[in-house]
Structures are given as structure tokens and as C-alpha cells.
């Protein structure tokens, strides 16, 4: 596609339920990032995938959060047993990183998650 | 840990003014620096990427500069328009993107 696509755009879920958020990066981009943005807060790093390397999971806030990237393309962020504090906009970005060279990153429109 | 600060937090200017947004970062060992804008309820739109070997980048009415040694970047917006109203974010790029908390810009017609 022309840009980074995220789905769903909005998700309302009950506390305790599991949710899956999807990110389709720009075709050919090797790097994929997940961030979240809580109301009135800055962007919080969650996880980074680069090619076939082990992902950098250092930003995941708890073991309820996990992410995978299949075939070096689509990524899914899973939140288990959702809590109200998980409510935020989850943003995905991709870039054509080449080794140590970081290139321009493009963000999707985000998934607004509301836990009630 | 990289800390990124943006000043001012909010800015309101009349249409037509030139303005400067500031971004500072504590660790100069970055790959690149990227400026974004974010409209309410939307994702981030890339404005400019400055690679660590560059000192500035220009796109239309926007000019961004980078001084790695002093840990500073500025975004200059010429002849501001109401459509420029948004939150502007800078990101210092290392192993991840380290974002500032943004400058909320309002351009008054």
C-alpha cells in the first residue's frame, strides 16, 4: 500500500478481554515500530522489529503485552487481560533501515483503544 | 537514556509570522533527527528527516537545522498559515525514536 495501515481504527473492549491490533507496514520496509500515546502524554516506545533480528521488546510495559511480525511484514500487537490504563492510541511506524542507517519513518493513523 | 525536550510547549501566532520551534536532546550519539506534525486525533505526518551528517533540510516553507554537538535542532516555519496549526514533534533517532512532548502551534487567521 501507499502508507502504513493500521486496523481497527477504533476498538472498545471490556476490561479483562484480549485485543489484537494490526499493522501493515509500507512494502519493503525492514523496520517496524510500535508506540503508544496516552491522553495528553508523549509517545511511549513499545517494541521494534528489524529484519530477521530479535525484536527489541524493552518498552513493553508488562507481560500482558506481546507482538509478532510474520514474514517480515504484517505485525500484530496483542494485549491480554486488558486494563483501563491500557486505553491509548497505539501507533505503528515503518522505515527502510539498512544496517546502522536509519531512514525516514512513516506512521499509521493509529488504533484508538478504549477499555471500559 | 536519551531525553528530548521541546520548547515552547505551546505557541500562538498571527497568520503570516515566521516562527521557530526548538528541540534539544541529551545524547548526541544519534543517527538522525526527524520532525513530525500531528493533527488532533490523527497519526504522525513526517515533515523532515535530517541525517546526522547533515546540518539542515528544507521542504517548502519549512527548514530544519541540526547541531549534534550541542544537542539541538530547530524547525523554522516561514509565513505561517492557519493550516499549520498542529502539534509538532521532534524525534532523536538512535536504537529507537525518542520523542519530545511536542509544541502545540496555533496560527490565528
Amino acid at each position: 500500500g501507499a502508507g502504513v495501515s493500521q486496523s481497527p481504527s477504533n476498538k472498545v473492549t471490556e476490561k479483562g478481554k484480549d485485543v489484537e491490533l494490526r499493522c501493515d507496514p509500507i512494502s519493503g520496509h525492514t523496520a517496524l515500530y510500535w508506540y503508544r500515546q496516552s491522553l495528553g502524554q508523549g509517545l511511549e516506545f513499545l517494541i521494534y522489529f528489524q529484519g530477521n533480528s530479535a525484536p527489541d521488546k524493552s518498552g513493553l510495559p508488562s507481560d500482558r503485552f506481546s507482538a509478532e511480525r510474520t514474514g517480515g511484514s504484517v505485525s500484530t500487537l496483542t494485549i491480554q487481560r486488558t486494563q483501563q490504563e491500557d486505553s491509548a492510541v497505539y501507533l505503528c511506524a515503518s522505515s527502510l533501515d539498512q544496517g546502522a542507517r536509519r531512514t525516514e519513518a512513516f506512521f499509521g493513523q493509529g488504533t484508538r483503544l478504549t477499555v471500559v | 537514556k536519551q531525553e528530548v525536550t521541546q520548547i515552547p510547549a505551546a505557541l500562538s501566532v498571527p497568520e503570516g509570522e515566521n516562527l521557530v520551534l526548538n528541540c534539544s536532546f541529551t545524547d548526541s550519539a544519534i543517527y538522525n533527527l526527524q520532525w513530525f506534525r500531528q493533527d488532533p486525533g490523527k497519526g504522525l505526518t513526517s515533515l523532515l528527516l535530517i541525517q546526522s551528517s547533515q546540518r539542515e533540510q528544507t521542504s517548502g516553507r519549512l527548514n530544519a537545522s541540526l547541531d549534534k554537538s550541542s544537542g539541538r535542532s530547530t524547525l523554522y516555519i516561514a509565513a505561517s498559515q492557519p493550516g499549520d496549526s498542529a502539534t509538532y514533534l521532534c524525534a532523536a533517532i538512535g536504537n529507537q525514536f525518542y520523542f519530545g512532548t511536542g509544541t502545540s502551534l496555533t496560527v490565528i487567521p
Side-chain angles (χ1 to χ4, degrees):
Chain A
V4 178
S5 178
Q6 292 188 245
S7 60
S9 55
N10 281 284
K11 176 72 175 178
V12 180
T13 189
E14 292 181 351
K15 179 181 173 181
K17 299 281 190 183
D18 298 352
V19 295
E20 285 189 352
L21 312 180
R22 177 187 170 103
C23 173
D24 283 89
I26 293 172
S27 178
H29 278 194
T30 55
L32 187 147
Y33 303 81
W34 283 98
Y35 282 79
R36 75 175 175 181
Q37 189 174 34
S38 302
L39 187 62
Q41 302 295 313
L43 278 89
E44 176 187 2
F45 168 74
L46 296 177
I47 189 168
Y48 164 54
F49 295 90
Q50 167 57 17
N52 296 321
S53 302
D56 178 355
K57 303 181 182 179
S58 60
L60 295 179
S62 77
D63 59 8
R64 295 186 295 106
F65 287 73
S66 63
E68 62 177 22
R69 188 178 184 191
T70 55
S73 180
V74 172
S75 178
T76 302
L77 177 68
T78 301
I79 309 173
Q80 295 178 312
R81 305 181 301 283
T82 51
Q83 302 294 313
Q84 288 186 328
E85 61 263 29
D86 300 333
S87 296
V89 176
Y90 289 80
L91 293 163
C92 174
S94 71
S95 64
L96 183 61
D97 285 355
Q98 296 167 337
R101 178 170 169 261
R102 299 285 191 270
T103 59
E104 189 174 9
F106 297 89
F107 279 76
Q109 291 299 299
T111 294
R112 181 176 299 277
L113 175 67
T114 304
V115 182
V116 297
Chain B
K1 181 187 172 185
Q2 179 75 273
E3 300 283 346
V4 181
T5 304
Q6 290 189 247
I7 295 173
L11 182 63
S12 183
V13 299
E15 181 177 3
E17 274 206 4
N18 303 322
L19 55 101
V20 175
L21 308 181
N22 296 292
C23 171
S24 61
F25 46 96
T26 55
D27 185 352
S28 62
I30 62 171
Y31 293 114
N32 304 315
L33 188 133
Q34 191 166 355
W35 283 91
F36 299 87
R37 70 174 276 169
Q38 186 174 33
D39 294 282
K42 303 290 187 181
L44 276 67
T45 300
S46 177
L47 297 174
L48 289 165
L49 173 77
I50 311 175
Q51 296 186 4
S52 60
S53 58
Q54 298 175 320
R55 295 192 68 85
E56 67 177 286
Q57 278 286 337
T58 298
S59 176
R61 294 182 295 109
L62 305 180
N63 176 277
S65 67
L66 174 63
D67 184 342
K68 273 187 61 176
S69 60
S70 66
R72 295 184 183 187
S73 177
T74 61
L75 179 66
Y76 175 83
I77 303 177
S80 58
Q81 302 172 358
D84 295 333
S85 299
T87 296
Y88 289 80
L89 295 159
C90 69
I93 304 169
N95 291 328
Q96 54 169 282
F97 285 70
Y98 297 91
F99 283 91
T101 51
T103 294
S104 178
L105 172 65
T106 302
V107 180
I108 303 165

